[in-house]
Amino acid sequence: MPPSDIAYAELYVADDREASGFLVDSLGFVPLAVAGPATGTHDRRSTVLRSGEVTLVVTQALAPDTPVARYVERHGDSIADLAFGCDDVRSCFDRAVLAGAEALQTPTPSHRAGQDAWFATVSGFGDIRHTLVPAAGGDGAGLLPPDRDWALLPAATGRTGPRPLLDHVAVCLESGTLRSTAEFYEAAFDMPYYSSEYIEVGEQAMDSIVVRNAGGGITFTLIEPDDTRVPGQIDQFLSAHDGPGVQHLAFLVDDIVGSVRSLGNRGVAFLRTPGAYYDLLTERVGAMADAIEDLRETNVLADRDEWGYLLQIFTRSPYPRGTLFYEYIQRNGARGFGSSNIKALYEAVEREREVAGR
């Protein structure tokens, strides 16, 4: 059976307390568990954080010249592992390796004592890896990386609040690798082609392919720059990250306007949108007059497809090299990733680059 969802995403960072502090204090994540010297892991320190249905793991190296330290030195603070939940870890591993993935960790019994489960690790795009873990059960075992022991924290229970989902993962790739990467994810993880767009913004251009699994639990928006055009923000990310990587994680929420106001009160900085954008919004997406002032106030973008509309906004990157940021998205029937969405992201980031360069 192919993977069903993203169990967790692991960030390697230079300062785990600062990175975790942003996710907890600003984005509202809750710490679930910690691993480090006190639990028998001496080369790194990790914290598992949870918000709704999204699990992030923040890890810092505790010694130089370790895999975590080398990753951060090359790529900056960024996603290193997108773990896939699998009904059958060994069959997922075999399929991925047969399709060309490198076997980084062959199927191994879980490190956690008393758990009758297996995990494995294979390569993905760039230096990203995919840890294959059992699909999460009622005990939430799939939320904790299985290669280290964890100490649960009291805050893991009794917390209620919004329950965002991981809508999609946006990936920047080097020019000329888009189609081969999409083909790899279909062959290795049963994530077939879903849609594609070629977007031109002034003298810059980018190409994208969306791949997703049958259940919709894993969706990647794969993006490459058109190297025959003027370099833009995709090229900038590839330079800052020193190669392919996760540009942003998109969190699905029920009330984006309320979420943005709440996050803004916590100090989260979002990309700003010119006022003229909202003057033309009704023309572009239909009757939304009752909501446009709220969208204008919060800088939320809107788009429509044949099934409905969606609302979205992007944070500024909180990381020194700009190697990861976050999106919040609300879907009102919309299913796809139309050119207006991708172009809006591209243009929003370009505006920020222009302002920063003045």
Side-chain angles (χ1 to χ4, degrees):
M1 297 291 291
S4 57
D5 58 14
I6 296 178
Y8 58 83
E10 184 164 12
L11 292 81
Y12 285 175
V13 299
D15 185 334
D16 63 325
R17 290 185 170 88
E18 181 178 349
S20 295
F22 171 78
L23 292 168
V24 172
D25 298 334
S26 297
L27 298 192
F29 278 74
V30 178
L32 292 184
V34 294
T39 64
T41 302
H42 297 281
D43 65 335
R44 57 194 155 157
R45 182 174 57 231
S46 302
T47 304
V48 175
L49 305 166
R50 182 79 165 165
S51 178
E53 298 299 314
V54 180
T55 302
L56 301 179
V57 182
V58 177
T59 296
Q60 175 187 327
L62 297 179
D65 199 28
T66 61
V68 176
R70 291 193 294 269
Y71 194 95
V72 173
E73 182 179 2
R74 177 178 178 185
H75 298 298
D77 293 3
S78 59
I79 301 292
D81 190 346
L82 292 168
F84 291 160
C86 306
D87 288 333
D88 185 333
V89 166
R90 281 172 283 193
S91 70
C92 283
F93 172 85
D94 290 342
R95 172 174 177 157
V97 171
L98 187 63
E102 181 183 354
L104 303 177
Q105 172 68 63
T106 58
T108 304
S110 172
H111 192 262
R112 291 192 293 277
Q115 188 178 36
D116 183 20
W118 295 74
F119 76 97
T121 308
V122 297
S123 63
F125 56 86
D127 286 339
I128 287 285
R129 68 178 185 273
H130 298 298
T131 298
L132 309 176
V133 299
D139 62 354
L143 307 182
L144 305 179
D147 61 343
R148 67 207 90 159
D149 282 321
W150 296 90
L152 297 179
L153 298 173
T157 60
R159 176 94 176 206
T160 60
R163 299 187 61 80
L165 301 171
L166 186 57
D167 186 83
H168 64 272
V169 176
V171 175
C172 290
L173 300 169
E174 292 170 328
S175 182
T177 65
L178 176 64
R179 279 157 185 79
S180 61
T181 302
E183 290 166 359
F184 166 74
Y185 275 90
E186 178 171 15
F189 303 109
D190 198 18
M191 294 170 58
Y193 168 95
Y194 183 75
S195 64
S196 63
E197 298 286 348
Y198 180 81
I199 307 299
E200 296 179 270
V201 183
E203 296 181 299
Q204 302 166 16
M206 54 175 274
D207 205 358
S208 71
I209 294 177
V210 176
V211 295
R212 73 188 308 183
N213 68 340
I218 309 174
T219 302
F220 286 177
T221 302
L222 307 172
I223 309 165
E224 70 172 7
D226 184 339
D227 63 0
T228 67
R229 309 292 290 272
V230 172
Q233 51 105 349
I234 304 300
D235 304 270
Q236 183 182 46
F237 173 89
L238 292 169
S239 176
H241 190 267
D242 194 13
V246 174
Q247 182 201 46
H248 71 269
L249 302 177
F251 301 145
L252 181 68
V253 294
D254 293 330
D255 175 12
I256 193 168
V257 170
S259 296
V260 170
R261 286 173 174 157
S262 174
L263 293 167
N265 289 337
R266 290 172 173 260
V268 177
F270 293 96
L271 299 188
R272 300 189 64 80
T273 305
Y277 170 90
Y278 298 98
D279 298 337
L280 303 173
L281 192 57
T282 298
E283 245 176 67
R284 189 167 63 80
V285 301
M288 295 181 63
D290 57 338
I292 286 177
E293 287 312 306
D294 284 337
L295 301 184
R296 186 194 300 270
E297 178 191 335
T298 54
N299 289 286
V300 171
L301 302 167
D303 190 35
R304 180 177 291 278
D305 61 21
E306 60 186 291
W307 298 282
Y309 69 92
L310 63 80
L311 307 172
Q312 63 186 159
I313 193 168
F314 309 98
T315 74
R316 292 186 177 131
S317 176
Y319 306 105
R321 285 163 53 177
T323 41
L324 178 69
F325 59 90
Y326 302 98
E327 173 185 358
Y328 285 83
I329 184 169
Q330 175 184 332
R331 293 185 180 274
N332 292 71
R335 302 179 189 175
F337 299 81
S339 59
S340 296
N341 293 331
I342 300 171
K343 188 173 182 179
L345 167 59
Y346 200 96
E347 290 178 332
V349 177
E350 284 303 314
R351 284 192 296 271
E352 290 296 310
R353 290 178 69 237
E354 290 170 3
V355 171
R358 288 174 184 170

